[in-house]
Amino acid sequence: MGEMDTLKKEADGLKAQIEAARKAVNDTTMAAVASGVAAAPRVQLKNRKTLKGHLAKIYGLHWSADNRHMVSASQDGKLLIWDTYTGNKVYAIPLKSSWVMSCSMAPSGNLVASGGLDNMCTVVNIKAASPKTLRELDAHEGYLSHSRFLSDTELLTASGDTTCCLWDLETGKQKVIYKSHVGDCMCLAVSPDQNTFISGACDSTAKLWDIRDGGCKQTFIGHTSDINAIAFYPSGTAVITGSDDCTLKMYDLRADQEVNGYQDAALNAGVTSVSLSSSGRLIFAGYDNFNCNIWDSLKAEKVGVLSGHDNRVSCIGVPDDGLGVCTGSWDSFLKIWN
Amino acid sequence: MPGVINMDELTDLDKAKMERDQKKIEVKLERWMMSKCCTEFMEAVQAGVEEDTLVKGIAEDKNPFKELKGGCVVC
């Protein structure tokens, strides 16, 4: 047997052992455990504000930690920073490349990051006398699909080159590269304790990483297509994923497997984006079919819909205080609901 | 720098080794019973539900996103 065959046989054997170990702890279902919980009330959220200003498809949004400001990115070539209480635009930042795929804001509110088909992540200081580019992080060999700040000095990125990366913003250099996915990385989410992060990729898997040592700790399977969106539950013990296979899945990190699935036979649109209400009870999922569905995490039932966009919902976010949910769309509008 | 590898330079053999090595790490994980995980998860969620605005709703006068009617407030 050649070396390739030996290695493959070994890997297959280990995968079978992993599946057996997962099965061995699979003594119940979330549906059974949650059967005694009262159903979530039918959720009827109203569109309180529509933020108008972008001139093309919106690809990303991210709330500030101050629960009031928000950054959005559009292929009109601009990042806009909004005061969501008044609906006013506070800053408009022109992008060198208009092919933006994501944006994020640092917890401090001082910095925003964006990137896309330019393969770069551009970090801008918005609190300088006038917004000023701090860094152009230029080492990924594929598009930048997602980014999240750990602080004003560290940033995580996910890329179409199949890797994720931790950057030192003081030097502009890569600190850690996270290598294990075999498909484009599409999304990432940081654990509440900031020791780990989870990534979703076009290889249909989600992977949990140790931020500091770069090691992949766990791999979650089950999706049958690209994972476009991912989020941590507030407890830090579970994650939710959204995929082109039209489903969402909850994976428990300690059981190391899927514990709940969210799908509807009538739904044949891919999930583009996902966000959670403050307790984690409600999942907000944006789909290719212009809507956002609201799911009960525990009972896996659809409990509401946000309709109002005239095109794909590409991004969703709930601020830390949980007072509302914002949807961003290819129709160029952002809508705030509660 | 931990983890530096250029994916383009990896041969199929390298990739197969990486997969095998990764599974060797994952097989060692201690997994908790689903009953324990699901119960704890459910309790954590329910503990936060009373304070969860998107589940419970928000009073009009406390809603920071409410439509601002025209007019000014002179202080």
Side-chain angles (χ1 to χ4, degrees), chain A residues 257-294:
Chain A
Q257 59 192 283
E258 178 181 343
V259 301
N260 228 349
Y262 309 85
Q263 60 251 342
D264 188 326
L267 268 176
N268 62 353
V271 179
T272 61
S273 47
V274 76
S275 199
L276 296 167
S277 70
S278 60
S279 65
R281 184 71 196 260
L282 300 178
I283 303 165
F284 296 91
Y287 292 75
D288 289 348
N289 68 359
F290 310 178
N291 279 339
C292 172
N293 285 329
I294 309 174

Side-chain angles (χ1 to χ4, degrees), chain A residues 6-19:
Chain A
T6 313
L7 285 168
K8 191 164 186 317
K9 200 154 181 246
E10 249 192 283
D12 288 346
L14 290 162
K15 283 182 195 174
Q17 277 183 62
I18 290 168
E19 284 320 300

Side-chain angles (χ1 to χ4, degrees), chain A residues 91-154:
Chain A
Y91 302 104
I93 298 161
L95 300 171
K96 266 196 201 169
S97 162
S98 62
W99 302 113
V100 66
M101 294 174 68
S102 84
C103 61
S104 57
M105 192 181 296
S108 65
N110 296 331
L111 306 177
V112 294
S114 66
L117 296 182
D118 57 352
N119 296 3
M120 284 199 321
C121 187
T122 302
V123 179
V124 173
N125 179 348
I126 58 174
K127 296 291 170 73
S130 71
K132 179 171 127 61
T133 297
L134 179 75
R135 288 276 165 231
E136 286 177 339
L137 307 173
D138 187 2
H140 276 302
E141 290 167 354
Y143 57 82
L144 195 94
S145 53
H146 210 81
S147 66
R148 280 295 180 260
F149 286 88
L150 297 180
S151 67
D152 279 4
T153 56
E154 288 184 315

Side-chain angles (χ1 to χ4, degrees), chain B residues 20-52:
Chain B
R20 193 270 319 263
D21 292 346
Q22 179 57 34
K23 294 307 155 198
K24 269 188 162 169
I25 294 171
E26 291 176 8
V27 79
K28 295 192 189 132
L29 184 73
E30 210 180 287
R31 294 166 178 86
W32 291 22
M33 299 303 288
M34 285 274 271
S35 46
K36 183 168 154 74
C37 297
C38 291
T39 305
E40 284 192 19
F41 177 83
M42 181 185 69
E43 288 170 356
V45 167
Q46 289 303 89
V49 145
E50 289 307 309
E51 306 295 314
D52 187 336

